[in-house]
Amino acid sequence: MSAEGLLRRTDRRRSGMDGLVRALSLAAGIIALVPLAAVLYYLLAEGLKAWSPAFLVSAPAGITTKGGGILNALVGTLEMTGLALVIAAPFGIAVALYVVEYRGSRLAIVVRTAVDLVAGIPSIVIGLFVYSLVVLTTGHFSGLAGAIALSLVMLPIIARTSEEMFKIVPRRLREGTMALGMPRWRALFAIYIPTVAAGITTGIVLAVSRAVGETAPLLFTALGSNFVVTDINKPMSALPLYMFQNAQNIGFPAARERAWAAGLTLVAIVLIFNVLGRWLASRTEIRVAR
């Protein structure tokens, strides 16, 4: 066989193998999307039965009563998630700054390892820890305990994301601040943080989207409430708790419909946060590339 024939045969074999791999990759992608599409379809089909704009601003109804809404759960979610963010964001950014600025020290290695360990702890264990630390100490469940539990869920995400962002601060900026004799604390607040602010915001958004859907920590801390509660020192509801409590009522269709509608609302909130996080991450990549 001539050299030209061998080349043609090799090209055909490569083309065939390339087509096979492409087909297998496409099939794997479709198989991965099927469960997601099925969940979203069922969520929309069941959730839209009870969902409406009034559902978002109405007080909860009894388990046998049609209608009602998730106002108590929305208020509780906003309060606990907001307070958790106020707690976790400063600590997470501070941890990231310390780990990056003193990366060669033993303590920085210990801190980074501790953050990784916290990130790997199941959220239900975090809830049990806060229950022992806060609920048993105060003698009652509260939104404050729930916020502390959610802050522990958010903290490692913010810390690790911020750490990666601080690592990409251009070296010339660090050298420039040193050459000007700028104090380190001033360089951190005036140069480093503004440079990667979009990336830090991305980590915060992703942390919020993770925490807003947590149920297990709140079962041990916030407990839940059928009333619209604004006092952070009292038990309060949240979207995951609302879903859990309504889904338990197997024999009451109205409660199950509200659980699906609350699930649809929660997925929409998480989706919005994830899209926002992706958009902010793309802006960070463009800014760093420039």
Side-chain angles (χ1 to χ4, degrees):
M1 184 179 293
S2 64
E4 185 178 352
L6 285 173
L7 288 174
R8 289 178 179 176
R9 184 175 179 182
T10 302
D11 288 340
R12 285 196 298 268
R13 185 180 302 172
R14 289 177 178 174
S15 299
M17 184 60 67
D18 180 68
L20 177 62
V21 172
R22 287 176 179 270
L24 291 175
S25 300
L26 179 62
I30 293 174
I31 292 172
L33 289 175
V34 167
L36 176 62
V39 169
L40 291 177
Y41 171 78
Y42 200 78
L43 182 65
L44 288 170
E46 295 293 329
L48 289 176
K49 292 179 180 179
W51 195 95
S52 67
F55 180 73
L56 301 177
V57 294
S58 300
I63 59 175
T64 61
T65 307
K66 282 278 188 179
I70 56 172
L71 180 60
N72 63 326
L74 280 178
V75 171
T77 297
L78 290 174
E79 284 193 42
M80 287 189 285
T81 306
L83 181 57
L85 181 60
V86 170
I87 297 172
F91 280 103
I93 295 172
V95 167
L97 282 171
Y98 179 81
V99 169
V100 171
E101 291 300 310
Y102 300 94
R103 67 187 69 182
S105 66
R106 292 183 179 180
L107 183 57
I109 297 174
V110 172
V111 170
R112 183 186 293 110
T113 304
V115 169
D116 291 338
L117 289 176
V118 173
I121 295 176
S123 59
I124 193 169
V125 177
I126 293 176
L128 185 59
F129 168 73
V130 177
Y131 170 81
S132 302
L133 186 67
V134 179
V135 175
L136 293 182
T137 302
T138 59
H140 59 86
F141 297 93
S142 65
L144 176 61
I148 293 173
L150 293 182
S151 70
L152 293 178
V153 173
M154 298 167 65
L155 177 62
I157 301 174
I158 296 175
R160 292 297 289 166
T161 307
S162 299
E163 179 186 349
E164 295 303 318
M165 289 298 101
F166 286 127
K167 285 180 179 178
I168 65 175
V169 174
R171 186 176 181 84
R172 63 179 180 274
L173 288 180
R174 299 176 182 271
E175 294 175 348
T177 57
M178 294 174 61
L180 293 173
M182 185 179 295
R184 177 171 289 183
W185 67 266
R186 187 174 180 182
L188 292 176
F189 286 99
I191 305 296
Y192 298 172
I193 293 179
T195 301
V196 293
I200 295 174
T201 305
T202 300
I204 291 174
V205 169
L206 295 177
V208 171
S209 68
R210 162 74 188 281
V212 78
E214 287 290 345
T215 308
L218 300 182
L219 288 173
F220 287 95
T221 54
L223 186 63
S225 174
N226 291 325
F227 305 98
V228 179
V229 179
T230 57
D231 187 352
I232 201 71
N233 290 311
K234 293 182 179 179
M236 60 175 50
S237 185
L239 283 172
L241 289 177
Y242 184 94
M243 292 169 55
F244 175 76
Q245 292 165 348
N246 280 273
Q248 283 183 309
N249 301 307
I250 299 176
F252 301 95
R256 293 202 309 272
E257 289 180 1
R258 287 195 294 269
W260 279 109
L264 179 61
T265 305
L266 181 60
V267 169
I269 292 173
V270 172
L271 179 62
I272 291 171
F273 274 110
N274 276 278
V275 170
L276 180 60
R278 297 280 184 179
W279 178 72
L280 290 172
S282 65
R283 286 178 58 86
T284 303
E285 292 174 359
I286 294 172
R287 183 173 181 179
V288 172
R290 289 178 180 176

